Each structure stands twice: as structure tokens, then as C-alpha cells.
Amino acid sequence: MHLSTYFFVTVLSALPLHVAAFPAMGSLAKRIAASGDDGVEDRQLIGDLKQGITSPTGQTIANILLGNEPGESNVAGYKPALLGTAACKADTCCVWSYVSKAMTLAFTGPTGRCNSLARAAIRLGFHDAGTWSSSLAAAGQDFGGADGSIALAPSEAGRADNAGLGPIIQQAQIWSKLFGVGVADLIQFAAKHAVVTCPLGPRTRVFVGRIDSSKASPEGLMPSVTMSTDAIIALFQDKTISPHNLTALLGAHSASQQFTVDKSKSGQSQDSTPGVWDVAFYNETLQATAPKKVFQFDSDRRLSVDSRMNDEWTAFVGDQSHWNDDYAAAYVRLSLLGVNNINNLTECTKVLPAARPTYNGASIPGLFG
């Protein structure tokens, strides 16, 4: 890869995007029990793990899904071989270290916060992975999920659910071709990279080796801001995501903006600290009045006070480490929905940039201490 090509792609990536947003260091299982959530969904294996655990990676992922291992990791110190060499080609994670460097340049804003491209990447990860249903899978329609179809099936990219994602889909396709990696992996890697690029964000564990699909995923599986709380909770339970995990995943709105719900307030964020992965979203959503220039979704307000989610929602207020732990574990699950070769994946968390547990005086006490 020529340096000039690398520079062009990363500069292109940093251009502003106008996108809409939908939106454990301890044992998740213990937290579920403490919160009173029955956690049935959080104890389900998914994909080929349901037929058996046949590899160390499969066992690791099963442990994360069951709450027995953390969904984030601070492992570091990886030094890749030169891109394009035989040594790099022989190491699955090598090329991803170069993808990671490109994304760091593309996702970091001038003040050190994650920028609009990073926010779009987080949304894209949700929208690709979220198009899977356990009930449809049981009925013989086991497709969709984290398979890259949002970027590989034109009809899926054009759905109303995915309005505004065109530029980040195009960028994902560019990176996939440039580095020779799968689109499904690229989308989920970008979503996790973008989160840790945001100050205070968790370093969610990365697994690669998904199988790409150009078959459009089933329709009607993404939530909307007009859905009832019952409908949204049921929708995610059908994805094996409990109210406990849904509460953690909704915190991604900490780094989101809205452009289509109310076009007169286009670009407004969902908390007062856009570009920083902090718990302000949880606190501010509970307040009677939203902060100035913060656009709050009605669905978030209703979910925040729902009896199935309020205890956990309130627990996240003022507890960054707790949220990071739960979000990382929940997102590992989300990022593997519809993946039926989990036993064959490779962990490449070591190529992610280091987490930044402090930003402008804010910190995560004891996160890496």
C-alpha cells in the first residue's frame, strides 16, 4: 500500500458526515442477579456455540456471553510485521493493526473527541448486527445480523432505517478493499474502534473471521423512537438481549446526533458532552428538562423510567466503570448475532488503540488501576 493512498483514504474519512442516530471487569451474571433482572437472554449462547464449543476462542466468547469473562480488555504491546509481507499475511491480526491506525486518524477530532465519522461507525455497527431475530432463525430464516449485508446488499442500505448511513457504508467498503478484509468484520471492528476512540470509552474485545453476505437481512427488526417500551424491549429480547443489556447499549446515544427525527434541530446530540463516552446521557435523560441544545428521544425517556430498566439506568449515573463493563459485554453479544462460525473466529483486541480513562478532568476511577 502506497503512503499516498493511505493518506488520501484517511483524509477522506475525516470529512463531516450528516447521520441519524438510533439510538466486565466484574461478573455480568452477578450484576444481573443484583439488579433483579431475570437475565434469561444474557445466559443464552448464540450461533454455532449452541451446537458445541470446539475451540479456545469459542470458549472465550461463551464465557463473555455468560458473564464469566469481561467484554473489554486492556491487552497491549502488539507489534505487527510490515504490511504486505509474508509474516504479516501469516498473522490474522497483523492487517487489522493497520486498519486500526487508519481508523484512529479518521475517527479522532481536533479536540481529541470522537468525531462524526466515529459516531456514524457506531451506528453502522448497530444497524448491521441488529437485523437478526431468534424467532425467525428458529423458523428457518437464520440470516441477517453481523454479516456485512448492510454494505453488500443495496436494497438494505436504501431502507428508511438506514437513512444517512451511505457515507460511512462507502468508507467501510473503501477500507475493506484497501486492506483486503471482510466487510462484516470491518463494520464491527469500526464500531468498537470508534467507541474506544471516544474519551472514556471501553476497549471492547474484537473477534474477526465473520462470513460476508450480500443477502439483504429481514426487514422490520430495527427499533424506532416512536415504538412503545414494550415493543422495544420485546424486539431486543428476540435478539437475546435482555432489558439489562439493552440499558447498557442505549448509552451509545452518549456519542450520537439526530438529523431526521426533528429536522429543525438537525445535528443536536443526545447529551451535553458530544464526542465523549460518558454517563451524562443517563443522568440527563432522567431530568425533567433537557439541557440546552440537547435533543432527547421520547423512547429513551420512556425506557429510562420503565421498571425493567430504571434500576440499571440509575446505577449507571455517576458510575462510568460499571457502564463500560456492561456495554462491552452487551456489545460483544450484539456484534455476533447471526454469526454461525464463532468457534472459528480469532481475537484481535490487541490491535485496538489504548483506552483513554481521563479527559478534561473526568476519569474512570480504578478502571485500569
Side-chain angles (χ1 to χ4, degrees):
M1 179 177 63
H2 294 294
L3 181 60
S4 59
T5 302
Y6 181 88
F7 179 77
F8 173 76
V9 172
T10 53
V11 170
L12 173 65
S13 304
L15 293 176
L17 288 177
H18 298 289
V19 297
F22 169 44
M25 291 306 164
S27 167
L28 177 61
K30 291 180 180 178
R31 281 185 173 158
I32 293 169
S35 70
D37 189 334
D38 65 10
V40 172
E41 297 83 4
D42 294 323
R43 294 194 293 273
Q44 289 187 52
L45 294 179
I46 55 177
D48 54 305
L49 296 181
K50 292 185 295 184
Q51 281 70 56
I53 299 169
T54 61
S55 71
T57 299
Q59 184 63 66
T60 294
I61 293 172
N63 289 343
I64 296 170
L65 296 176
L66 298 175
N68 297 321
E69 279 193 45
E72 57 182 325
S73 170
N74 198 35
V75 63
Y78 176 68
K79 295 182 179 180
L82 187 64
L83 184 64
T85 63
C88 189
K89 292 177 181 178
D91 178 356
T92 299
C93 297
C94 182
V95 66
W96 288 101
S97 69
Y98 291 93
V99 175
S100 182
K101 290 174 184 177
M103 288 182 178
T104 296
L105 290 175
F107 290 161
T108 306
T111 63
R113 296 177 295 177
C114 54
N115 60 19
S116 60
L117 188 70
R119 297 172 187 176
I122 295 167
R123 181 175 175 236
L124 183 63
F126 272 77
H127 280 235
D128 193 38
T131 53
W132 181 84
S133 157
S134 62
S135 57
L136 287 180
Q141 299 185 59
D142 192 4
F143 62 96
D147 61 5
S149 60
I150 195 170
L152 297 172
S155 63
E156 185 174 341
R159 293 174 185 170
D161 289 339
N162 299 325
L165 286 174
I168 186 60
I169 288 174
Q170 182 180 33
Q171 182 57 61
Q173 293 167 334
I174 290 172
W175 273 328
S176 174
K177 292 177 181 178
L178 180 64
F179 293 104
V181 298
V183 174
D185 283 338
L186 192 287
I187 288 172
Q188 296 308 319
F189 184 89
K192 294 175 182 179
H193 191 296
V195 167
V196 77
T197 302
C198 300
L200 309 186
R203 201 165 179 267
T204 305
R205 295 173 75 168
V206 166
F207 300 91
V208 298
R210 294 169 184 80
I211 299 172
D212 286 350
S213 175
S214 59
K215 181 179 182 178
S217 63
E219 295 192 59
L221 296 179
M222 293 304 298
S224 80
V225 297
T226 60
M227 290 175 70
S228 69
T229 55
D230 285 346
I232 292 174
I233 288 172
L235 184 71
F236 277 87
Q237 287 176 319
D238 190 46
K239 303 179 196 298
T240 77
I241 293 172
S242 70
H244 178 106
N245 271 353
L246 175 58
T247 307
L249 290 172
L250 279 174
H253 285 169
S254 171
S256 67
Q257 294 171 281
Q258 77 84 27
F259 290 91
T260 61
V261 178
D262 184 343
K263 293 184 178 180
S264 70
K265 299 178 181 179
S266 179
Q268 288 191 354
S269 59
Q270 278 61 76
D271 74 14
S272 60
T273 54
V276 179
W277 194 266
D278 62 16
V279 294
F281 166 77
Y282 288 103
N283 182 41
E284 292 170 359
T285 304
L286 289 170
Q287 304 308 309
T289 304
K292 187 177 181 181
K293 295 185 178 180
V294 169
F295 186 93
Q296 294 179 337
F297 298 137
D298 288 341
S299 55
D300 285 346
R301 281 190 169 275
R302 287 184 272 108
L303 288 166
S304 72
V305 295
D306 187 275
S307 61
R308 292 159 290 187
M309 297 177 62
N310 179 255
D311 285 351
E312 190 70 1
W313 195 290
T314 303
F316 290 148
V317 175
D319 195 339
Q320 181 79 37
S321 182
H322 180 178
W323 174 42
N324 279 4
D325 292 350
D326 286 8
Y327 178 87
Y331 196 83
V332 168
R333 175 178 290 274
L334 181 72
S335 72
L336 294 170
L337 295 182
V339 178
N340 290 308
N341 66 327
I342 293 175
N343 279 298
N344 297 328
L345 302 185
T346 300
E347 181 166 8
C348 289
T349 310
K350 59 190 177 184
V351 307
L352 287 176
R356 291 186 289 161
T358 62
Y359 181 76
N360 283 0
S363 64
I364 309 174
L367 184 59
F368 299 121

